[in-house]
Amino acid sequence: NAGVTQTPKFQVLKTGQSMTLQCAQDMNHEYMSWYRQDPGMGLRLIHYSVGAGITDQGEVPNGYNVSRSTTEDFPLRLLSAAPSQTSVYFCASSYSSQRGGTSYEQYFGPGTRLTVT
Amino acid sequence: AQSVTQPDIHITVSEGASLELRCNYSYGATPYLFWYVQSPGQGLQLLLKYFSGDTLVQGIKGFEAEFKRSQSSFNLRKPSVHWSDAAEYFCAVDPFTSGTYKYIFGTGTRLKVLA
């Protein structure tokens, strides 16, 4: 298994440009999520999905859109990039808690480092 | 407000010395608790987790953590640090023990290991 993969690894955008960060997992995990990591702030949840066709907002959703058309993929879209979105973005996946009524480990991808100028 | 606190931003230890990284949380009930490690330029790797039961949990790479309900703490320990342990360590909680995965992360502790 490749686990959780993210592309690209690095990206530089100009203010106002749009782009999509890709995330894919091959572990048949129901749950997927996006975090952003900023210095001194840890990781903060942007959006998450509990299965194909179901998404919801996390702690910092503004400026980001997501969709989940398949179990494997969970892209994150920036419609109009702003310098405040300069960050490292991590995708994570896990089995649904509905499988066993408990929580499972989240597996993280290697991250995408985004700079908005 | 619900929060996770890692009071030490940076810690420096000598190779072979013992290590303790602190984590405190503020929630009404006992959440699910995790420690992750992030090596430079890498994603996060789970070291260990606590859901219930024995309050001393063993993880990978020789790490352990102890849950103390009375102190709302989940401190990470290692008896003898190796140079390869230099990394950033994150404590995380899932405050909804039904497993919603809405993790709250601490701000991280960066560990430096002196040869």
Side-chain angles (χ1 to χ4, degrees):
Chain A
N1 288 349
V4 180
T5 58
Q6 292 183 239
T7 56
K9 291 188 185 299
F10 301 94
Q11 183 71 47
V12 179
L13 291 178
K14 294 186 185 301
T15 297
Q17 286 184 317
S18 64
M19 80 159 296
T20 299
L21 307 185
Q22 301 291 344
C23 173
Q25 52 90 12
D26 61 358
M27 298 174 281
N28 200 30
H29 285 168
E30 297 90 352
Y31 184 88
M32 297 185 73
S33 57
W34 277 101
Y35 292 86
R36 59 177 289 172
Q37 182 182 27
D38 301 295
M41 301 189 74
L43 280 77
R44 292 178 292 168
L45 183 64
I46 304 172
H47 285 286
Y48 65 97
S49 168
V50 298
I54 305 170
T55 64
D56 204 348
Q57 298 179 349
E59 180 185 356
V60 288
N62 292 341
Y64 308 95
N65 283 346
V66 293
S67 61
R68 183 98 178 269
S69 57
T70 67
T71 299
E72 294 78 19
D73 301 298
F74 190 44
L76 179 72
R77 298 183 183 85
L78 285 70
L79 298 181
S80 179
S84 61
Q85 294 178 304
T86 294
S87 186
V88 181
Y89 292 85
F90 289 99
C91 180
S93 74
S94 179
Y95 288 116
S96 167
S97 62
Q98 298 304 312
R99 286 199 181 209
T102 184
S103 184
Y104 295 89
E105 171 188 353
Q106 286 200 70
Y107 292 82
F108 285 80
T112 294
R113 185 174 295 274
L114 175 68
T115 301
V116 182
T117 60
Chain B
Q2 300 173 332
S3 66
V4 176
T5 302
Q6 293 181 248
D8 304 304
I9 298 174
H10 298 278
I11 284 185
T12 300
V13 300
S14 298
E15 191 171 19
S18 64
L19 172 70
E20 182 169 28
L21 303 182
R22 295 181 290 164
C23 174
N24 293 92
Y25 64 90
S26 62
Y27 293 97
T30 300
Y32 292 159
L33 298 156
F34 307 85
W35 274 100
Y36 282 86
V37 60
Q38 183 181 32
S39 298
Q42 302 297 313
L44 279 73
Q45 181 183 22
L46 181 71
L47 286 175
L48 46 77
K49 59 190 176 186
Y50 174 78
F51 291 166
S52 65
D54 191 347
T55 57
L56 185 63
V57 294
Q58 302 297 319
I60 62 171
K61 304 185 179 186
F63 285 92
E64 67 177 27
E66 185 172 14
F67 167 63
K68 293 186 176 180
R69 185 188 308 274
S70 61
Q71 299 177 18
S72 296
S73 69
F74 189 55
N75 293 349
L76 182 71
R77 300 195 294 249
K78 187 170 185 178
S80 179
V81 170
H82 188 264
W83 65 266
S84 60
D85 293 324
E88 190 157 20
Y89 292 80
F90 292 94
C91 179
V93 305
D94 181 347
F96 307 100
T97 53
S98 60
T100 62
Y101 302 108
K102 294 184 181 180
Y103 286 16
I104 307 297
F105 281 86
T107 52
T109 297
R110 188 172 297 276
L111 174 65
K112 181 177 180 180
V113 180
L114 301 177

